[in-house]
Amino acid sequence: MKDIDWKNLEFAYIKTDKRYVSNFRDGAWDAGCLTNDNMVAMSESAGVLQYAQTIFEGLKAYRTADDRIVTFRPDLNAERMAESARRLAMPVFPEERFVDAVLQVIRANAEYVPPYGTGATLYIRPCMFATGPVIGVKPAGEFQFRIFCTPVGPYFKGGAYVKGGVKPKSIRVTDYDRAAPHGTGHIKAGLNYAMSLYPVHEAHELGFAENLYLDAATRTYVEETGGANCIFVTRDGKVVTPKSASILPSITRRSLIVVAREYLGLTVEERPVTLDEVRDMTECGLCGTAAVLSPVGRIHNHGEDIMLPSGMDEMGPVCQKLYDTLTGIQYGLIEGPKGWVREVEA
Ligand code: PLP
Ligand code: COI
């Protein structure tokens, strides 16, 4: 195991030993290989530099209590990346090769998978970008697919590891839009994050951890935050999660829905959720690979503070159960549905 202060890791980049690279040229992906080189050289006119033709994914590897290394539903990241590629006119990296490459990268960097119980994980970042030159606005002809990884701590600042993850956060309803109807909100394109940088910088300056985006067409419905989907709990204990064609189909959210229904026996509704209704919710959590399930205590909306009854000190009871069960599955303590947990053999 590498000599790293695992308990104090931030959500930041640390160069690890190996990464996987495959290049697309003349209409085909090459064989691909692991490499030590973390630098990328390309034309000044590369499609990624000029027109942001780039997509990515995020997933994690976990060390279990009995010292195995596992990862969580990489097939869904492969599938989502294929969707992202199609929407940005990029070649699809074959889904089976994606999963195989993820496993190769984890295996090659096994010494960076944090010890069980530290709250840290190995974050895996598959990405694909246009390396071929363009000057007219059109898809490039050459691309690179790359997977690197970095050990990470909690996504939200001030998130020293405590039972249940991080302390509840304050977020704000923002007047900026994240995604247009029929736009790119449902895929993981770099451009969705570039446009969120200024709004999130502003949110941080004002003391909010994230922006809560509303639907761009009517500004009535809750969509998601810059880097996570939302989950709410109603007064009668139902789990409600916004449904919209312009939010990212979070793998964590889809997994939590199964956990809520099949492990906890809760009723789950996936439907449009108005900002108005949020005033009556008892719990709110932000879910994603990086965020896991991070509780929200306060939602600021133009001079009004919506204080969730679960408060600013700890996670609400339903979110806590969801969190414990999902992370229990991810860390191998609870048996997950078939195919969710993939062991990385040494
Ligand atoms: N929503 C956005 C905008 C994200 O960037 C992410 C992170 O991947 C998520 C939601 C959560 O998705 P997942 O659970 O698949 O990581
Ligand atoms: C993830 O959760 O994997 C993400 O990509 C979110 C990102 C904003 C770090």
Side-chain angles (χ1 to χ4, degrees):
M1 201 98 72
K2 296 284 175 180
D3 182 19
I4 290 174
D5 182 6
W6 306 105
K7 288 198 164 156
N8 290 306
L9 279 174
E10 293 182 21
F11 196 87
Y13 175 75
I14 293 173
K15 183 186 173 212
T16 60
D17 293 345
K18 301 280 181 190
R19 64 277 301 124
Y20 176 90
V21 175
S22 174
N23 290 297
F24 184 91
R25 275 192 207 105
D26 301 323
W29 289 105
D30 68 17
C33 63
L34 291 171
T35 161
N36 294 328
D37 193 358
N38 69 324
M39 304 301 274
V40 183
M42 68 182 90
S43 164
E44 62 194 355
S45 202
V48 57
L49 300 177
Q50 300 309 318
Y51 302 125
Q53 197 181 13
T54 177
I55 57 178
F56 68 98
E57 274 300 325
L59 68 163
K60 283 175 170 174
Y62 309 80
R63 196 177 288 275
T64 64
D66 58 356
D67 215 24
R68 291 173 301 122
I69 296 174
V70 297
T71 188
F72 188 69
R73 310 189 77 180
D75 49 315
L76 295 191
N77 295 95
E79 187 182 290
R80 190 170 63 190
M81 194 160 194
E83 279 305 305
S84 298
R86 285 189 274 266
R87 179 63 177 82
L88 286 202
M90 301 167 94
V92 168
F93 192 74
E95 293 180 34
E96 326 74 69
R97 283 192 64 189
F98 176 107
V99 172
D100 177 63
V102 165
L103 299 177
Q104 284 189 47
V105 169
I106 300 170
R107 202 174 293 124
N109 295 288
E111 295 202 337
Y112 290 93
V113 183
Y116 176 77
T118 55
T121 47
L122 187 71
Y123 183 72
I124 301 142
R125 172 53 62 89
C127 53
M128 189 201 294
F129 42 88
T131 48
V134 289
I135 201 70
V137 178
K138 62 173 190 187
E142 293 180 1
F143 298 86
Q144 182 168 111
F145 173 82
R146 177 175 278 258
I147 305 179
F148 62 89
C149 62
T150 178
V152 295
Y155 185 61
F156 288 111
K157 271 214 170 57
Y161 184 67
V162 290
K163 181 164 163 39
V166 296
K167 282 252 174 209
K169 298 289 151 203
S170 291
I171 61 174
R172 67 155 185 186
V173 175
T174 176
D175 290 330
Y176 296 102
D177 290 320
R178 172 180 179 277
H182 315 291
T184 55
H186 62 299
I187 60 159
K188 218 158 158 58
L191 58 91
N192 292 338
Y193 299 83
M195 72 81 223
S196 77
L197 296 175
Y198 182 75
V200 83
H201 168 75
E202 203 180 78
H204 289 165
E205 294 276 291
L206 295 168
F208 301 106
E210 257 287 10
N211 287 304
L212 182 61
Y213 291 97
L214 301 182
D215 79 289
T218 72
R219 311 201 57 79
T220 311
Y221 297 99
V222 170
E223 293 253 304
E224 62 174 322
T225 63
N229 281 182
C230 301
I231 281 200
F232 297 98
V233 180
T234 62
R235 287 187 195 285
D236 55 355
K238 281 190 206 128
V239 173
V240 177
T241 173
K243 183 173 177 143
S244 156
S246 48
I247 67 178
L248 193 78
S250 158
I251 294 161
T252 313
R253 191 240 313 151
R254 288 183 268 161
S255 303
L256 285 169
I257 289 172
V258 176
V259 165
R261 284 189 180 131
E262 291 176 20
Y263 286 69
L264 303 176
L266 300 170
T267 302
V268 181
E269 292 175 358
E270 291 178 82
R271 58 168 173 83
V273 175
T274 63
L275 179 59
D276 243 4
E277 291 180 73
V278 170
R279 298 192 178 90
D280 288 326
M281 299 293 183
T282 57
E283 297 179 38
C284 171
L286 305 181
C287 64
T289 298
V292 193
L293 179 58
S294 299
V296 172
R298 168 182 171 232
I299 303 175
H300 183 79
N301 174 36
H302 302 94
E304 169 199 13
D305 269 325
I306 304 175
M307 303 300 300
L308 280 300
S310 52
M312 294 300 292
D313 291 326
E314 54 186 25
M315 229 185 220
V318 176
C319 281
Q320 187 71 58
K321 275 191 226 156
L322 287 168
Y323 178 95
D324 289 345
T325 311
L326 180 70
T327 56
I329 292 170
Q330 290 168 332
Y331 282 101
L333 302 172
I334 298 173
E335 180 147 353
K338 195 165 179 301
W340 280 22
V341 172
R342 292 285 294 262
E343 186 152 350
V344 182
E345 272 111 32

